Amino acid sequence: MTSPDIQAIREQVSQALIEDLGGELNADNDITANLIDKEVTASATIITREPCVICGVAWVNQAFALIDESVSVTWHVKDGDHVEADTVLVSLSGSARAILTAERTALNFLQTLSGSATVTASYTKYLAGTNTKILDTRKTLPGLRYAQKYAVRCGGGQNHRVGLFDAYLIKENHIFSCGGIHNAISRAKTNMPGKTVEVEVESIEEFQQALNAGADIVMLDNFTNEQIQQAVAMNNAQCKLEVSGNITDERLASLSKLGVDYISSGALTKHVQAIDLSLRIQLD
């Protein structure tokens, strides 16, 4: 489970700290922490108040390192671990000022990414024992694309295309602007041979057009279960099938039995609820 490049994480965390510290990476700008004498040291723990799947270890490490490299960070869990409420996730020791300055940035990343990992894990349990995989989308929090897609992998899901550059996803407005499904797919295969070509369809008629045009993946958008069954029969394993739209906990189990390859949901990253975490500090 490879995390995003460490330099990218460092830049991401640095920007978050700069936002918190008035436009520069200077811990002295934390006016509240400056009430504490510089020489005061402390120990602290971060715990979770609810069950979750952990994601964000590297982001937390960077938050404390960028404020004070001498802060000791000892993890008791790792990314992808399923933990129960009241689990101690990490222990810290060092400057009390530094711990408190980095606290919120560290928790923001950890609780948000763990939220995406946790909801992904809750979706994947409905697909256990099937060949259907859960996918994320591009509906990510701005600036957190790679981080949230990593969180989805931590939760047991798979990534859809990363962005607009690595695979085609031909949607309604592309189809209209290209003059039809066949034209859009044909141009995609001509422009960039070898790139995966996926097309989103909204009816059985459009699905047949996508099949005839040689799409690699067809996304069945807001199809009923009956329409999905019809598409699976028509497809006969000619291309990969993805289901999207109105994906709920209740519907996942039934969709997994229909023989589709993928189910994609923006909720994994867009509707994520941050995990309830807490940092507890004790002076040395």
Side-chain angles (χ1 to χ4, degrees):
M1 190 188 309
T2 305
S3 64
D5 179 76
I6 192 65
Q7 183 57 36
I9 295 173
R10 185 179 182 87
E11 291 174 2
Q12 199 170 52
V13 175
S14 176
Q15 286 301 311
L17 288 168
I18 288 170
E19 184 177 56
D20 218 12
L21 292 168
E24 61 177 335
L25 189 52
N26 182 356
D28 289 339
N29 289 348
D30 182 351
I31 61 175
T32 310
N34 285 343
L35 298 174
I36 305 166
D37 291 336
K38 277 189 175 182
E39 64 274 12
V40 173
T41 60
S43 299
T45 56
I46 297 175
I47 67 165
T48 176
R49 297 184 181 277
E50 59 183 314
C52 66
V53 177
I54 296 301
C55 181
V57 167
W59 285 262
V60 172
N61 291 343
Q62 283 297 311
F64 289 104
L66 284 167
I67 294 300
D68 185 344
E69 290 186 339
S70 70
V71 172
S72 173
V73 183
T74 303
W75 285 91
H76 309 295
V77 296
K78 61 183 183 300
D79 285 343
D81 281 356
H82 294 242
V83 300
E84 297 302 320
D86 300 319
T87 297
V88 175
L89 307 178
V90 59
S91 299
L92 308 162
S93 63
S95 162
R97 279 190 182 187
I99 290 172
L100 293 175
T101 296
E103 171 189 6
R104 177 42 53 198
T105 295
L107 291 180
N108 281 348
F109 280 108
L110 187 60
Q111 67 184 18
T112 300
L113 298 183
S114 294
S116 282
T118 301
V119 71
T120 301
S122 75
Y123 275 36
T124 59
K125 70 182 180 183
Y126 291 100
L127 307 179
T130 75
N131 293 321
T132 304
K133 307 299 181 186
I134 192 75
L135 301 178
D136 52 25
T137 72
R138 287 172 48 245
K139 296 175 182 176
T140 52
L141 299 175
L144 288 181
R145 172 70 54 82
Y146 286 88
Q148 284 193 291
K149 282 184 172 285
Y150 170 65
V152 167
R153 298 198 301 275
C154 286
Q158 294 186 6
N159 295 147
H160 207 285
R161 60 176 181 161
V162 175
L164 297 171
F165 62 93
D166 57 328
Y168 286 103
L169 179 47
I170 301 167
K171 301 169 77 71
E172 178 184 13
N173 289 330
H174 301 106
I175 292 168
F176 177 79
S177 300
C178 287
I181 289 174
H182 184 276
N183 284 349
I185 293 176
S186 177
R187 289 177 186 176
K189 289 181 174 290
T190 299
N191 287 356
M192 301 197 75
K195 288 286 188 185
T196 299
V197 178
E198 179 171 1
V199 61
E200 179 183 271
V201 300
E202 298 179 347
S203 67
I204 290 295
E205 291 73 24
E206 287 186 348
F207 174 63
Q208 185 63 66
Q209 292 175 41
L211 279 184
N212 294 343
D216 299 308
I217 306 173
V218 178
M219 179 189 293
L220 310 175
D221 185 42
N222 284 305
F223 274 39
T224 66
N225 284 13
E226 291 73 21
Q227 289 174 313
I228 294 169
Q229 287 177 309
Q230 185 179 351
V232 169
M234 291 168 60
N235 182 44
N236 194 27
Q238 183 175 331
C239 69
K240 298 289 187 181
L241 295 181
E242 177 182 336
V243 174
S244 184
N246 192 32
I247 305 303
T248 62
D249 288 0
E250 294 75 19
R251 196 170 179 223
L252 277 168
S254 65
L255 288 175
S256 70
K257 297 179 174 67
L258 300 181
V260 298
D261 300 283
Y262 308 114
I263 299 171
S264 58
S265 175
L268 304 182
T269 51
K270 179 168 62 84
H271 296 159
V272 62
Q273 180 172 325
I275 300 301
D276 187 5
L277 304 177
S278 177
L279 184 145
R280 296 173 177 173
I281 194 167
Q282 182 175 352
L283 298 183
D284 293 339

